Amino acid sequence: MVDAHQTFVIVGAGLAGAKAAETLRSEGFTGRVILIGDERDHPYERPPLSKGYLTGSAERDSAFVQQPGWYAEHDVELHLGQPVVHLDKKTRTITLGDGSTLIYDKLLLATGSEPRRLDIPGTDLAGVHHLRRLAHADRLKHVLTSLGRENGHLVIAGAGWIGLEVAAAARGYGAEVTVVEPGPTPLHGVLGPELGAVFTDLHVEHGVRFHFGARLTEITGQDGMVLAALTDDGQEHPAHDVLAAIGAAPRTALAEVAGLALVPREEGGGIAVDASLRTSDPDIFAAGDVANAEHPLLGGRLRTEHWANALNGGPAAAKAMLGREVSYDRVPYFFSDQYDLGMEYSGHAVPGSYDQVVCRGDLGKREFIAFWLRDRRVLAGMNVNVWDVTEQIQQLIRSGRQVDPEALSDPSVPLTSFLD
Ligand SMILES: Cc1cc2nc3c(=O)[nH]c(=O)nc-3n(C[C@H](O)[C@H](O)[C@H](O)COP(=O)(O)OP(=O)(O)OC[C@H]3O[C@@H](n4cnc5c(N)ncnc54)[C@H](O)[C@@H]3O)c2cc1C
């Protein structure tokens, strides 16, 4: 039983943290809720940073999780621009950047992840960018506008989701774009070769140049400005700006100093939590990008960097903090928008885990659903410009049923027929 005098602290004022605070209140918790973030902006969602906000079709304010007044109205003590620098689990104390301390009864770590940095000469030049924060998006938007105006060149390191979304936004502004990617296709590790090629074609049609099978080795410059990006096969790409979009790393520093159990990087990294999102300390929980959770449905551990996992994981952790029975078993889900292509992906199918890819619809027209199967069971599904099928795809994954791949590839056979 949780009493009204308890103090629940949430470190990380992103989507998972803000949603957890919201759930604590909506579930009737009347104790103190303290939400601490090191950014100055109120909690916001990051997907618009590489989509609507970056392209100019959405306002900055539309990214906020709640209206700024919501926190005070719901008696959530919001501390912004305040890093938490230390965690002592024995005394249940956290230390903030200004040296002040707070004692918690329950703690949620929702510290998210941070962009990986290029470890090459030239990354200190003014035209080298990352994209994680609203402040980064503000700057990048300004950069893309001037690149477009002056026919300037943007080199993007990494053909993952963020790299591709920024490539699309940059082409929208009229910038010249080259994407350098070590793999043979974009998103190779997530989608495999056939479906990665769909994204190659999409971007090439919009004027993006790809340089596959190569890595950046140096960014050259003059007077602090970027001049070119060099690759390990000896090529030189003219560049006015460079975006490093080479993935993210979970922010586990606090968990590390506190001695909480972590998961090694080769197993996904992050803070180890059970299916109720509880860490190795019974009073500390973790959710969102930073949490590597036991997944009851998938039967193993999983850490994802997906909006939906922060949206749903924050509330699940909040309920667990309140002592409710929680088994967090959502089917992983993410989405992307590039030019006129919109997609949603449900499930989890890493290379080597599936033995068949089945497509239903028209790949050429970019209107299809792709399914990743193992032993004729659906592990994952991606719908591209086909809508209102996520529920069925997720049910198919959950059911674990064997399906006839030929029937699955036939759009005239309703998806619901595989669930009867
Ligand atoms: C540009 C971009 C586009 C994306 N687009 C999509 C998309 O289309 N679809 C999708 O599914 N996912 C997308 N994602 C991923 C999605 O945004 C993340 O999965 C989600 O933000 C994770 O939420 P979180 O709350 O766990 O972490 P975060 O959003 O990273 O929030 C964590 C917060 O904690 C703060 N923090 C960290 N350490 C401390 C500390 N010690 N003290 C105080 N504060 C701290 C951080 O600064 C941050 O504000 C995108 C991500 C980015 C960057």
Side-chain angles (χ1 to χ4, degrees):
M1 194 65 191
V2 176
D3 78 50
H5 303 291
Q6 293 205 337
T7 298
F8 284 12
V9 173
I10 302 168
V11 180
L15 182 58
K19 282 286 164 189
E22 189 186 314
T23 303
L24 288 174
R25 286 298 180 231
S26 65
E27 291 289 314
F29 178 61
T30 54
R32 278 181 87 186
V33 176
I34 305 175
L35 175 59
I36 308 167
D38 59 2
E39 295 187 65
R40 293 196 180 281
D41 282 297
H42 281 77
Y44 57 87
E45 304 194 7
R46 293 177 203 273
L49 273 49
S50 51
K51 305 181 190 63
Y53 179 57
L54 192 63
T55 59
S57 67
E59 294 295 320
R60 197 175 194 275
D61 288 3
S62 66
F64 291 110
V65 180
Q66 301 284 0
Q67 292 302 310
W70 182 92
Y71 300 91
E73 281 160 21
H74 291 80
D75 202 14
V76 171
E77 300 169 43
L78 180 62
H79 299 257
L80 295 174
Q82 277 281 11
V84 173
V85 294
H86 192 72
L87 163 60
D88 183 342
K89 61 182 169 55
K90 275 206 201 88
T91 57
R92 297 186 187 187
T93 308
I94 58 160
T95 309
L96 279 70
D98 62 7
S100 60
T101 55
L102 278 168
I103 294 181
Y104 61 84
D105 292 292
K106 298 268 188 271
L107 178 72
L108 174 63
L109 295 174
T111 47
S113 48
E114 61 194 338
R116 292 192 193 281
R117 311 267 155 182
L118 285 167
D119 187 17
I120 57 173
T123 50
D124 53 339
L125 293 164
V128 178
H129 311 277
H130 294 91
L131 181 55
R132 181 77 199 173
R133 299 184 161 203
L134 251 179
H136 297 152
D138 293 336
R139 183 167 167 224
L140 194 58
K141 198 171 170 177
H142 178 74
V143 165
L144 297 187
T145 308
S146 21
L147 286 176
R149 216 175 19 232
E150 290 150 25
N151 229 356
H153 288 255
L154 174 69
V155 169
I156 299 176
W161 297 110
I162 292 179
L164 294 181
E165 288 175 1
V166 174
R171 289 301 297 144
Y173 283 94
E176 296 294 327
V177 180
T178 302
V179 179
V180 177
E181 160 63 42
T185 58
L187 304 160
H188 198 259
V190 196
L191 302 184
E194 306 91 340
L195 291 151
V198 172
F199 287 85
T200 312
D201 295 347
L202 171 74
H203 283 269
V204 167
E205 276 170 31
H206 284 86
V208 171
R209 292 181 204 88
F210 282 103
H211 185 171
F212 291 119
R215 288 172 194 277
L216 290 195
T217 49
E218 185 178 351
I219 302 164
T220 59
Q222 197 175 17
D223 302 330
M225 310 296 282
V226 169
L227 280 183
L230 314 186
T231 49
D232 55 0
D233 54 358
Q235 288 204 36
E236 178 173 332
H237 298 279
H240 297 96
D241 288 274
V242 173
L243 175 77
I246 56 169
R251 293 185 66 174
T252 53
L254 283 178
E256 240 164 278
V257 293
L260 297 175
L262 301 177
V263 178
R265 182 174 171 185
E266 54 281 11
E267 291 162 37
I271 304 171
V273 291
D274 64 16
S276 70
L277 306 185
R278 192 186 296 262
T279 68
S280 53
D281 181 293
D283 295 320
I284 306 178
F285 297 76
D289 280 12
V290 78
N292 191 322
E294 277 167 20
H295 199 291
L297 179 69
L298 303 175
R301 284 200 162 278
L302 185 67
R303 189 180 75 81
T304 60
E305 291 167 6
H306 300 162
W307 167 86
N309 181 47
L311 183 79
N312 300 312
K319 287 180 190 161
M321 291 164 86
L322 291 168
R324 311 272 154 78
E325 198 69 36
V326 169
S327 177
Y328 184 67
D329 68 348
R330 292 259 175 175
V331 174
Y333 167 89
F334 67 87
F335 61 92
S336 178
D337 297 315
Q338 298 161 37
Y339 314 103
D340 55 358
L341 181 150
M343 60 73 70
E344 298 172 287
Y345 180 104
S346 293
H348 185 64
V350 291
S353 67
Y354 55 89
D355 51 31
Q356 195 174 4
V357 181
V358 168
C359 286
R360 173 189 175 94
D362 192 332
L363 247 76
K365 275 171 67 189
R366 296 194 274 264
E367 275 179 29
F368 63 90
I369 311 176
F371 294 95
W372 285 261
L373 273 57
R374 183 180 60 223
D375 191 23
R376 310 202 325 170
R377 292 183 171 85
V378 178
L379 300 179
M382 173 175 76
N383 47 304
V384 172
N385 289 342
V386 172
W387 304 109
D388 301 324
V389 289
T390 298
E391 188 58 41
Q392 284 123 298
I393 294 173
Q394 295 201 354
Q395 279 178 22
L396 262 175
I397 296 168
R398 266 187 192 286
S399 74
R401 287 198 196 164
Q402 286 192 310
V403 293
D404 171 5
E406 203 167 316
L408 191 63
S409 71
D410 181 351
S412 70
V413 180
L415 283 181
T416 44
S417 69
F418 299 100
L419 295 161
D420 293 339

